[in-house]
Amino acid sequence: MKKVNVTTNRWRTVDVVVAAVIAVTFGVIFWAWGLLWSVASPVFAFFPPAQAIMYGVWLIPAVLGGLVIRRPGAALFCEMVAATVSTLLGSEWGSITLLQGLAQGIGAELAFAAFRYRSFRLPTALLAGALTGLSAALFDFFVWNGEYALGSYRIPYALLTIASATAIAGFGAESLTRALARTGVLALFPAGRERTTI
Amino acid sequence: MIDLEPVTRPDAPLARRNPVAKLAAALLCSVILIATLDPVAPAIAIAFELALLPLFGIRLRVLARRAMPLLVGAVGVLVTLVLFAADRSGRILIEAGPFLVTSGVLITALGLVLRMFAVALPGLIVVATTDPTDLADALVQNARLSARFAYGALAAFRLVPLLAQEWQMISMARRARGIDAGRDPLARLRLFGSTAFTLLVGAIRRGTRLAVAMDARGFDATTPRSMARRQHFGHADGLLIAGAAVLAGAALAVSVAVGTFRPLIG
Amino acid sequence: MSAVRLRDFGWRHAGRKRWAVRGLDLRIEHGERVLLLGASGAGKSTLLAALAGLLPEDSGEQEGTVEVDGRDPRRAREEVGLLFQDPETQLVMARCGDDVAFGPENRGLPAEQIWPRVDEALRRVGFRYGRDRPTAALSGGEQQRLAFAGVLALRPRLLLLDEPTANLDPAGAALIRDAVAAALDADTTLLLVEHRLAEALPLVDRVVVLAPGGGVQADGTPQAVFAAHGEALAAEGVWVPGHPVPARPAATTAGETLLTADELALPPRLASVSLTVRAGEALAVHGPNGAGKSTLALLLGGLLAPAAGRVTATAELAGGDARVPPHRWRAPALVGRIGTVFQDPEHQFVTAAVADELALGPRRTGRTEAQVRATVDTLLDRLRLTALAEANPYTLSGGEARRLSVATALATAPRLLVCDEPTFGQDRRTWQELVELFAELRDNGHGLVTVTHDPEFIAALADRRVRLDQPRSVP
């Protein structure tokens, strides 16, 4: 095993562009997801509580960006670009998406900062998923869900959001990073090199 | 298919405003309007927004098409409220098991749906009238954003239509491998995930090459960058931001004055 | 001055055991025009990256020295311009003029000097459109021409071209060669990497061949190098002039009809076309970019529904399903009858190992585990992939990925094979293997439809050709 240490926090061009590309790609994936689910299952589209189960899917870019790029601000940058792309592709919520992206990005960023940008293993990923889920849940709790019943809707929705984010964005992004590393496309990143030399 | 071209007439007076000003105006407008839950303030704001459309050079039909996803959201709000409304005061209209629809529920639903439109429309207008390159230029020149991040993101953004085409190619390639999900939702989910993964691998490969090509043209140079295109932030741009705040504030003030104002928190 | 000096130069990328380049001694004088050759994996691209100063100290390990103009290339960046293969991943901006201005902006050139320079660069490459033209509206060849203008706008004196025409159709490749020929002057040193020599030779006066194990294998004028090493280079996969590839005409006459297309159309991508596909026959579809060749391949492959007209399979191909058009067949039924090979092999990869890729199709069509294993082993062997059975498909080289994508289509033994540009960007060795494989399939009674730009491929294999033209098309 050869360890590659990140000695500098300066972003290389490849860090900036690949972080943005990850975000942009998820913008396209969400677009395709919208096509799929609005046709396949109106239940999802018209019944928001069901959406909370899949909430973590929207939060993958934040955690994945942090795990792949491994630089301070990567999670936040990734989620902000993803939010901008969603806005530009015609998100339901317009410019509020940017604020939502900011909140979610900060959530994931805090987790990586808590480990001082030194650990990018599963526990960090899970915490990043949970915190980005928490910030998303808080945002929705106050901004969008104020008129719904507290006990039967707002609290379960928030808890479901956090659980989904931890599982899908946290665990999911960590497995995705490992799968991407195996394809060789992360060769320029520590996440892709932290393996036996080939 | 995804199309990124702005849909406005470029000579429209407000469409030509600085992109940062338009973005700030939209954000300000949204943040102010999101603060209330009543139907009056958003209704007034929507009226303002639609009245200003000609100044942005957008045809109503174009905006309506872009606002389609909002309708889905509106139905979602209605369904959720019928099932989970906190406040079920007012006259009972329908009562059937867990379904209790009162006049209060409908007024709340009206408020939430109008608020959703009022908050989303400014963003849609900005997107429809702004060229991404101009936005990146203005973010760097007028909002002091780092050029490396702004143009790095812009370069990635240029891949969107390409990736959308690629999504369809990959989907067809899945079928050519003998994979189709039919009606099984789990199989659909797996197929979706596998398509997304292939898209992501190809996109990261592209991004890596793009970054090297950008460096080959000096993007990583430490010398200060110059600007071939200028974005100006003038008085008119300041006025646009102020105007947005005033209009959104006025809508809020009316709702306070007529006593319908219901703050988001508290 | 922009002379190049390499002394015992070597580079190993971080995380790799193998050196990408090693033991390289080379001098290139100012104003020379050099063609750099070598089998794939000889480190040509790494060498160009080193000369362009694009290998940061912390991204690998260096041996020996490399100098451009007596300096470390990382500190002589303004001397060097590098044009890559793929135009899609070189264009940064949405408008043509903005893209050419990107480099001068990075160098901090004052704004009033940028636009004259942009116009000059666009003129030098013979660009036909205005600055405001969207880059997305250009053909591949025009995009590459624009990317070249972006390189020239920096006025490099050492010009590095890394297979600049490999991703282009013949018309696009000609555009680039003309642009390069027009842009060269006595003050510019050229280092060109290219597989297709016949087109590259008029541009150069010296040929350097890198040895696969490291160092220089041959160096001299084109005539001298090819006289001495032509045979060996051709065997290693280089397209050497005067070493033609053998043709493989059909051994038998065409058999039964497998598929017919009647008035097939999908506007705006494809205008109406009618054709028949027969067993034991190789049909080549050619024509200019934008004529809808790839769309036709997808329609014939049962992957896309036509807007007008129809594709009909015969009972010979589809048995009882012949009444249903192929695009309505379930996928497992489809792959047992029609196999499609996409232009980009990676689009077709589904699993994490080469052997699993090959097993996937047979499993989905309900073969027994023993049959699946036999098929996988045969194909691994036939396409020289046995050593890579456990490798992740995305880590394969271009030639390996192409062989795997063809093998996956063959795994379900379809009677008809539809291929979109199967020889695109392949070296001579893989190219010959593909022709050999396709000829064998055809002679065993399979039908073969190939959409291609490659005149050599058509000459070597096609029994019949259909030309698609942009506005209207002929049967």
Side-chain angles (χ1 to χ4, degrees), chain C residues 175-188:
Chain C
L175 279 185
I176 292 305
R177 280 194 306 277
D178 294 348
V180 172
L184 285 176
D185 55 30
D187 200 32
T188 309

Side-chain angles (χ1 to χ4, degrees), chain B residues 4-39:
Chain B
L4 299 174
E5 293 295 303
V7 293
T8 182
R9 286 199 314 275
D11 53 340
L14 289 184
R16 283 186 322 159
R17 295 276 57 83
N18 186 295
V20 166
K22 284 192 280 183
L23 192 64
L27 269 175
L28 204 56
C29 209
S30 303
V31 169
I32 293 174
L33 290 171
I34 213 163
T36 178
L37 295 165
D38 73 304

Side-chain angles (χ1 to χ4, degrees), chain B residues 5 131 133-134 137 151 154-156 158-159 161-162 166 168-183 194 197-199 201-202 205-207 209-221 223-230, chain C residues 54 77 80 82 84 86 88-95 98-111 114-115 135 150-151 154 298 302-304 326-332 334-335 340 342 346-350 357 360-361 364 394 408:
Chain B
E5 293 295 303
D131 178 88
T133 308
D134 295 344
D137 287 341
Y151 292 112
L154 183 68
R158 217 184 56 80
L159 297 177
L162 223 63
E166 190 126 322
Q168 292 176 330
M169 283 307 273
I170 296 170
S171 303
M172 287 188 281
R174 290 289 181 276
R175 175 167 159 80
R177 296 297 315 279
I179 304 169
D180 62 8
R183 305 214 146 271
S194 131
F197 183 73
T198 299
L199 186 77
V201 171
R205 216 190 275 289
R206 277 215 173 99
R209 286 200 200 120
L210 184 59
V212 175
M214 288 167 81
D215 280 348
R217 291 208 268 159
F219 191 57
D220 58 348
T223 46
R225 211 171 177 277
S226 62
M227 306 280 168
R229 299 166 303 278
R230 292 241 57 103
Chain C
L54 292 175
R77 296 274 296 272
V80 189
L82 172 52
F84 297 89
D86 180 11
E88 297 277 14
T89 52
Q90 292 181 80
L91 299 182
V92 180
M93 306 295 285
R95 287 183 294 254
D98 296 351
D99 192 75
V100 179
F102 178 72
E105 285 182 310
N106 292 332
R107 292 276 156 80
L109 209 68
I114 292 179
W115 293 110
T135 49
V151 172
L154 294 165
L298 294 170
L303 303 172
L304 198 58
H327 73 266
R328 303 266 296 276
W329 297 345
R330 290 298 303 269
L334 176 73
V335 293
T340 299
F342 279 63
E346 291 197 350
H347 285 165
Q348 291 183 277
F349 296 157
V350 184
E357 281 301 319
L360 179 88
R364 293 192 74 89
Y394 293 101
T408 57

Side-chain angles (χ1 to χ4, degrees), chain C residues 141-392:
Chain C
E142 287 161 342
Q143 284 186 335
Q144 186 71 326
R145 201 185 257 227
L146 180 68
F148 187 41
V151 172
L152 290 180
L154 294 165
R155 298 192 181 151
R157 295 198 297 165
L158 171 59
L159 198 51
L160 309 172
L161 309 180
D162 193 354
E163 300 198 47
T165 61
N167 279 25
L168 305 178
D169 59 70
L175 279 185
I176 292 305
R177 280 194 306 277
D178 294 348
V180 172
L184 285 176
D185 55 30
D187 200 32
T188 309
T189 310
L190 172 72
L191 191 52
L192 168 67
V193 173
E194 188 59 86
H195 272 298
R196 301 231 163 209
L197 296 198
E199 290 93 347
L201 284 179
L203 297 172
V204 300
D205 46 33
R206 177 179 167 195
V207 175
V208 172
V209 185
L210 297 187
V216 173
Q217 184 180 335
D219 187 350
T221 62
Q223 295 77 6
V225 169
F226 296 135
H229 303 274
E231 202 75 41
L233 284 172
E236 277 164 21
V238 180
W239 290 92
V240 184
H243 291 264
V245 283
R248 285 293 313 259
T252 53
T253 50
E256 310 84 346
T257 298
L258 297 177
L259 203 67
T260 57
D262 303 297
E263 306 278 313
L264 197 59
L266 188 63
R269 290 158 66 183
L270 176 71
S272 176
V273 57
S274 302
L275 53 81
T276 56
V277 179
R278 299 194 191 96
E281 186 184 53
L283 174 68
V285 178
H286 63 124
N289 265 338
K293 296 190 299 294
S294 295
T295 305
L296 178 62
L298 294 170
L299 290 165
L300 294 177
L303 303 172
L304 198 58
R310 60 187 173 277
V311 176
T312 318
T314 60
E316 175 72 20
L317 179 66
D321 257 358
R323 282 160 294 125
V324 185
H327 73 266
R328 303 266 296 276
W329 297 345
R330 290 298 303 269
L334 176 73
V335 293
R337 297 166 190 156
I338 308 178
T340 299
V341 177
F342 279 63
Q343 187 169 335
D344 183 346
E346 291 197 350
H347 285 165
Q348 291 183 277
F349 296 157
V350 184
T351 68
V354 167
D356 294 340
E357 281 301 319
L358 294 173
L360 179 88
R363 266 198 199 117
R364 293 192 74 89
T365 45
R367 311 283 158 84
T368 66
E369 217 30 54
Q371 286 170 322
V372 171
R373 246 197 317 279
T375 307
V376 170
D377 290 342
T378 312
L379 283 168
L380 284 174
D381 186 50
R382 178 71 182 82
L383 287 152
R384 284 195 294 122
L385 293 166
T386 309
L388 296 166
E390 297 310 315
N392 189 299

